[in-house]
Short mmCIF file of all heavy atoms in Angstrom, two decimals:
data_model
loop_
_atom_site.label_atom_id
_atom_site.label_comp_id
_atom_site.label_asym_id
_atom_site.label_seq_id
_atom_site.Cartn_x
_atom_site.Cartn_y
_atom_site.Cartn_z
N SER A 404 90.30 34.39 181.50
CA SER A 404 89.77 34.59 180.14
C SER A 404 90.00 36.02 179.69
O SER A 404 90.20 36.93 180.50
CB SER A 404 88.26 34.28 180.10
OG SER A 404 88.00 32.94 180.47
N VAL A 405 89.94 36.21 178.40
CA VAL A 405 90.03 37.53 177.82
C VAL A 405 89.01 37.61 176.69
O VAL A 405 88.78 36.63 175.97
CB VAL A 405 91.46 37.83 177.30
CG1 VAL A 405 91.87 36.86 176.20
CG2 VAL A 405 91.58 39.27 176.81
N GLU A 406 88.37 38.75 176.57
CA GLU A 406 87.35 38.94 175.54
C GLU A 406 88.02 39.44 174.26
O GLU A 406 88.79 40.40 174.27
CB GLU A 406 86.33 39.96 176.04
CG GLU A 406 85.17 40.20 175.08
CD GLU A 406 84.19 41.21 175.66
OE1 GLU A 406 83.50 40.87 176.65
OE2 GLU A 406 84.13 42.35 175.13
N ILE A 407 87.71 38.78 173.16
CA ILE A 407 88.24 39.17 171.84
C ILE A 407 87.07 39.62 170.97
O ILE A 407 86.12 38.86 170.74
CB ILE A 407 88.99 38.00 171.15
CG1 ILE A 407 90.12 37.48 172.05
CG2 ILE A 407 89.52 38.45 169.79
CD1 ILE A 407 91.22 38.48 172.31
N ASN A 408 87.13 40.85 170.50
CA ASN A 408 86.09 41.39 169.63
C ASN A 408 86.66 41.57 168.23
O ASN A 408 87.68 42.26 168.06
CB ASN A 408 85.58 42.72 170.16
CG ASN A 408 84.84 42.56 171.48
OD1 ASN A 408 83.69 42.18 171.50
ND2 ASN A 408 85.53 42.83 172.59
N VAL A 409 86.03 40.96 167.27
CA VAL A 409 86.51 40.99 165.90
C VAL A 409 85.61 41.90 165.07
O VAL A 409 84.40 41.67 164.98
CB VAL A 409 86.56 39.57 165.28
CG1 VAL A 409 87.15 39.63 163.88
CG2 VAL A 409 87.37 38.64 166.18
N GLU A 410 86.21 42.93 164.50
CA GLU A 410 85.47 43.84 163.62
C GLU A 410 85.53 43.31 162.18
O GLU A 410 86.55 42.78 161.73
CB GLU A 410 86.10 45.24 163.66
CG GLU A 410 86.11 45.88 165.04
CD GLU A 410 84.77 46.46 165.42
OE1 GLU A 410 83.86 46.45 164.56
OE2 GLU A 410 84.63 46.92 166.56
N GLU A 411 84.43 43.46 161.48
CA GLU A 411 84.38 43.01 160.10
C GLU A 411 84.55 44.22 159.19
O GLU A 411 83.68 45.10 159.13
CB GLU A 411 83.05 42.32 159.80
CG GLU A 411 82.97 41.76 158.37
CD GLU A 411 81.66 41.03 158.14
OE1 GLU A 411 80.74 41.17 158.97
OE2 GLU A 411 81.56 40.33 157.13
N ASN A 412 85.69 44.23 158.48
CA ASN A 412 86.00 45.35 157.58
C ASN A 412 85.71 46.69 158.26
O ASN A 412 84.77 47.41 157.88
CB ASN A 412 85.20 45.25 156.28
CG ASN A 412 85.54 43.99 155.51
OD1 ASN A 412 86.70 43.57 155.46
ND2 ASN A 412 84.53 43.37 154.90
N PRO A 413 86.48 47.04 159.30
CA PRO A 413 86.21 48.29 160.03
C PRO A 413 86.17 49.48 159.08
O PRO A 413 87.03 49.66 158.22
CB PRO A 413 87.41 48.38 160.99
CG PRO A 413 87.92 46.99 161.11
CD PRO A 413 87.67 46.35 159.79
N LYS A 414 85.12 50.30 159.24
CA LYS A 414 84.97 51.47 158.40
C LYS A 414 85.82 52.62 158.93
O LYS A 414 85.99 52.76 160.14
CB LYS A 414 83.50 51.88 158.34
CG LYS A 414 82.60 50.84 157.69
CD LYS A 414 81.15 51.32 157.66
CE LYS A 414 80.26 50.27 157.01
NZ LYS A 414 78.84 50.70 156.99
N PRO A 415 86.33 53.46 158.06
CA PRO A 415 87.11 54.60 158.53
C PRO A 415 86.21 55.59 159.25
O PRO A 415 84.99 55.58 159.13
CB PRO A 415 87.68 55.20 157.23
CG PRO A 415 86.72 54.77 156.17
CD PRO A 415 86.22 53.42 156.59
N LEU A 416 86.84 56.47 159.98
CA LEU A 416 86.13 57.51 160.72
C LEU A 416 85.36 58.39 159.75
O LEU A 416 85.90 58.87 158.75
CB LEU A 416 87.14 58.36 161.50
CG LEU A 416 86.72 58.85 162.88
CD1 LEU A 416 86.53 57.67 163.81
CD2 LEU A 416 87.78 59.76 163.46
N ALA A 417 84.07 58.59 160.03
CA ALA A 417 83.25 59.43 159.16
C ALA A 417 83.61 60.90 159.34
O ALA A 417 84.02 61.33 160.42
CB ALA A 417 81.78 59.21 159.46
N VAL A 418 83.47 61.68 158.29
CA VAL A 418 83.73 63.12 158.31
C VAL A 418 82.41 63.85 158.16
O VAL A 418 81.59 63.51 157.31
CB VAL A 418 84.72 63.53 157.20
CG1 VAL A 418 84.93 65.03 157.23
CG2 VAL A 418 86.04 62.79 157.36
N PHE A 419 82.21 64.84 159.00
CA PHE A 419 80.95 65.59 158.99
C PHE A 419 80.77 66.30 157.65
O PHE A 419 81.67 66.99 157.17
CB PHE A 419 80.95 66.60 160.13
CG PHE A 419 79.67 67.38 160.24
CD1 PHE A 419 78.55 66.80 160.80
CD2 PHE A 419 79.58 68.69 159.78
CE1 PHE A 419 77.36 67.50 160.92
CE2 PHE A 419 78.41 69.40 159.89
CZ PHE A 419 77.29 68.81 160.46
N PRO A 420 79.58 66.16 157.02
CA PRO A 420 79.35 66.76 155.70
C PRO A 420 78.87 68.20 155.80
O PRO A 420 77.68 68.45 156.04
CB PRO A 420 78.28 65.84 155.09
CG PRO A 420 77.49 65.36 156.29
CD PRO A 420 78.45 65.29 157.44
N TRP A 421 79.76 69.15 155.61
CA TRP A 421 79.35 70.56 155.62
C TRP A 421 78.63 70.92 154.31
O TRP A 421 78.97 70.40 153.24
CB TRP A 421 80.55 71.48 155.76
CG TRP A 421 81.20 71.46 157.10
CD1 TRP A 421 82.41 70.92 157.43
CD2 TRP A 421 80.68 72.02 158.32
NE1 TRP A 421 82.68 71.10 158.75
CE2 TRP A 421 81.64 71.77 159.34
CE3 TRP A 421 79.51 72.69 158.65
CZ2 TRP A 421 81.46 72.19 160.65
CZ3 TRP A 421 79.33 73.10 159.97
CH2 TRP A 421 80.28 72.86 160.95
N SER A 422 77.66 71.81 154.41
CA SER A 422 77.01 72.38 153.22
C SER A 422 77.52 73.81 153.03
O SER A 422 78.08 74.42 153.95
CB SER A 422 75.49 72.39 153.39
OG SER A 422 74.98 71.08 153.57
N SER A 423 77.30 74.36 151.86
CA SER A 423 77.71 75.73 151.58
C SER A 423 76.71 76.36 150.61
O SER A 423 75.76 75.72 150.18
CB SER A 423 79.12 75.77 150.99
OG SER A 423 79.17 75.02 149.78
N GLY A 424 76.91 77.63 150.30
CA GLY A 424 76.06 78.31 149.32
C GLY A 424 74.78 78.85 149.93
O GLY A 424 74.75 79.30 151.08
N GLU A 425 73.69 78.80 149.17
CA GLU A 425 72.43 79.39 149.59
C GLU A 425 71.88 78.77 150.87
O GLU A 425 71.20 79.43 151.65
CB GLU A 425 71.39 79.23 148.46
CG GLU A 425 71.67 80.08 147.23
CD GLU A 425 71.62 81.56 147.55
OE1 GLU A 425 70.73 81.98 148.32
OE2 GLU A 425 72.46 82.32 147.02
N ALA A 426 72.19 77.50 151.10
CA ALA A 426 71.68 76.83 152.30
C ALA A 426 72.23 77.44 153.58
O ALA A 426 71.69 77.21 154.66
CB ALA A 426 72.01 75.34 152.24
N CYS A 427 73.30 78.21 153.45
CA CYS A 427 73.97 78.74 154.64
C CYS A 427 73.76 80.24 154.79
O CYS A 427 74.60 80.95 155.36
CB CYS A 427 75.46 78.42 154.58
SG CYS A 427 75.83 76.65 154.51
N LYS A 428 72.66 80.74 154.28
CA LYS A 428 72.36 82.16 154.42
C LYS A 428 71.13 82.36 155.29
O LYS A 428 70.10 81.73 155.09
CB LYS A 428 72.12 82.79 153.04
CG LYS A 428 73.37 82.88 152.18
CD LYS A 428 73.08 83.57 150.85
CE LYS A 428 74.35 83.68 150.01
NZ LYS A 428 74.08 84.36 148.71
N ASP A 429 71.25 83.23 156.28
CA ASP A 429 70.13 83.64 157.10
C ASP A 429 69.71 85.04 156.67
O ASP A 429 70.34 85.66 155.81
CB ASP A 429 70.51 83.65 158.59
CG ASP A 429 70.66 82.24 159.13
OD1 ASP A 429 70.17 81.31 158.48
OD2 ASP A 429 71.28 82.09 160.20
N ASP A 430 68.66 85.54 157.29
CA ASP A 430 68.21 86.88 156.96
C ASP A 430 69.27 87.94 157.24
O ASP A 430 69.42 88.91 156.49
CB ASP A 430 66.94 87.22 157.76
CG ASP A 430 65.77 86.33 157.33
OD1 ASP A 430 65.82 85.80 156.21
OD2 ASP A 430 64.84 86.18 158.15
N ASP A 431 70.01 87.76 158.33
CA ASP A 431 70.97 88.79 158.74
C ASP A 431 72.41 88.31 158.73
O ASP A 431 73.29 89.02 159.20
CB ASP A 431 70.63 89.31 160.14
CG ASP A 431 70.57 88.17 161.15
OD1 ASP A 431 70.63 87.00 160.73
OD2 ASP A 431 70.47 88.47 162.36
N GLN A 432 72.67 87.12 158.24
CA GLN A 432 74.04 86.60 158.30
C GLN A 432 74.24 85.57 157.19
O GLN A 432 73.35 84.77 156.90
CB GLN A 432 74.31 85.96 159.66
CG GLN A 432 75.71 85.38 159.82
CD GLN A 432 76.77 86.44 159.94
OE1 GLN A 432 76.71 87.30 160.81
NE2 GLN A 432 77.72 86.43 159.03
N SER A 433 75.42 85.59 156.62
CA SER A 433 75.79 84.60 155.63
C SER A 433 77.00 83.83 156.15
O SER A 433 77.94 84.42 156.68
CB SER A 433 76.13 85.26 154.30
OG SER A 433 76.52 84.30 153.34
N TYR A 434 76.97 82.50 156.02
CA TYR A 434 78.03 81.66 156.54
C TYR A 434 78.71 80.95 155.38
O TYR A 434 78.11 80.64 154.36
CB TYR A 434 77.47 80.63 157.52
CG TYR A 434 76.67 81.24 158.63
CD1 TYR A 434 75.28 81.37 158.53
CD2 TYR A 434 77.29 81.72 159.78
CE1 TYR A 434 74.54 81.94 159.54
CE2 TYR A 434 76.56 82.29 160.79
CZ TYR A 434 75.18 82.42 160.67
OH TYR A 434 74.47 82.99 161.68
N ASP A 435 80.01 80.66 155.58
CA ASP A 435 80.74 79.92 154.55
C ASP A 435 80.26 78.47 154.49
O ASP A 435 80.13 77.90 153.42
CB ASP A 435 82.24 79.96 154.85
CG ASP A 435 82.79 81.38 154.78
OD1 ASP A 435 82.69 81.99 153.70
OD2 ASP A 435 83.31 81.85 155.81
N TYR A 436 79.99 77.89 155.67
CA TYR A 436 79.56 76.50 155.74
C TYR A 436 78.52 76.34 156.84
O TYR A 436 78.49 77.10 157.81
CB TYR A 436 80.74 75.56 156.03
CG TYR A 436 81.82 75.62 154.98
CD1 TYR A 436 82.96 76.40 155.18
CD2 TYR A 436 81.71 74.90 153.80
CE1 TYR A 436 83.96 76.46 154.22
CE2 TYR A 436 82.71 74.96 152.83
CZ TYR A 436 83.83 75.74 153.05
OH TYR A 436 84.80 75.79 152.11
N CYS A 437 77.66 75.33 156.69
CA CYS A 437 76.66 75.07 157.71
C CYS A 437 76.34 73.58 157.71
O CYS A 437 76.64 72.85 156.76
CB CYS A 437 75.39 75.89 157.48
SG CYS A 437 74.58 75.59 155.88
N GLY A 438 75.74 73.11 158.80
CA GLY A 438 75.38 71.71 158.89
C GLY A 438 74.68 71.41 160.20
O GLY A 438 74.68 72.23 161.12
N SER A 439 74.05 70.22 160.29
CA SER A 439 73.27 69.83 161.46
C SER A 439 73.67 68.44 161.92
O SER A 439 74.06 67.58 161.12
CB SER A 439 71.77 69.83 161.15
OG SER A 439 71.33 71.11 160.76
N LEU A 440 73.54 68.24 163.23
CA LEU A 440 73.76 66.95 163.84
C LEU A 440 72.71 66.77 164.93
O LEU A 440 72.32 67.74 165.58
CB LEU A 440 75.17 66.86 164.46
CG LEU A 440 75.64 65.48 164.92
CD1 LEU A 440 75.80 64.54 163.74
CD2 LEU A 440 76.97 65.60 165.67
N GLU A 441 72.23 65.54 165.10
CA GLU A 441 71.18 65.29 166.07
C GLU A 441 71.71 64.46 167.24
O GLU A 441 72.41 63.46 167.04
CB GLU A 441 70.02 64.53 165.41
CG GLU A 441 69.31 65.36 164.35
CD GLU A 441 68.16 64.62 163.70
OE1 GLU A 441 68.04 63.38 163.93
OE2 GLU A 441 67.38 65.26 162.98
N PHE A 442 71.37 64.90 168.43
CA PHE A 442 71.60 64.12 169.65
C PHE A 442 70.33 63.32 169.92
O PHE A 442 69.24 63.88 169.92
CB PHE A 442 71.93 65.03 170.82
CG PHE A 442 71.97 64.33 172.15
CD1 PHE A 442 72.95 63.39 172.42
CD2 PHE A 442 71.04 64.62 173.13
CE1 PHE A 442 73.00 62.75 173.65
CE2 PHE A 442 71.06 63.98 174.35
CZ PHE A 442 72.05 63.03 174.62
N CYS A 443 70.49 62.01 170.14
CA CYS A 443 69.30 61.16 170.29
C CYS A 443 69.47 60.22 171.47
O CYS A 443 70.59 59.95 171.92
CB CYS A 443 69.05 60.35 169.00
SG CYS A 443 70.45 59.30 168.52
N THR A 444 68.34 59.74 171.96
CA THR A 444 68.35 58.74 173.03
C THR A 444 67.39 57.62 172.67
O THR A 444 66.38 57.83 172.01
CB THR A 444 67.93 59.35 174.37
OG1 THR A 444 66.62 59.91 174.24
CG2 THR A 444 68.90 60.42 174.82
N ASN A 445 67.75 56.42 173.10
CA ASN A 445 66.89 55.25 172.90
C ASN A 445 67.07 54.36 174.12
O ASN A 445 67.97 53.53 174.17
CB ASN A 445 67.28 54.51 171.62
CG ASN A 445 66.36 53.32 171.36
OD1 ASN A 445 65.39 53.10 172.07
ND2 ASN A 445 66.68 52.55 170.33
N GLY A 446 66.23 54.59 175.13
CA GLY A 446 66.43 53.89 176.40
C GLY A 446 67.69 54.41 177.07
O GLY A 446 67.85 55.60 177.30
N ASP A 447 68.62 53.49 177.36
CA ASP A 447 69.89 53.87 177.97
C ASP A 447 70.93 54.29 176.95
O ASP A 447 72.05 54.67 177.31
CB ASP A 447 70.44 52.69 178.79
CG ASP A 447 69.57 52.38 180.00
OD1 ASP A 447 68.90 53.31 180.49
OD2 ASP A 447 69.56 51.21 180.44
#
Side-chain angles (χ1 to χ4, degrees):
S404 300
V405 62
E406 183 179 291
I407 304 296
N408 293 280
V409 183
E410 301 281 355
E411 183 178 13
N412 298 322
K414 297 180 180 179
L416 217 64
V418 178
F419 183 77
W421 289 109
S422 299
S423 59
E425 291 297 320
C427 300
K428 291 183 179 180
D429 288 343
D430 293 339
D431 56 351
Q432 180 72 57
S433 179
Y434 306 94
D435 296 300
Y436 300 98
C437 59
S439 299
L440 191 66
E441 294 180 350
F442 171 67
C443 58
T444 58
N445 182 5
D447 293 333

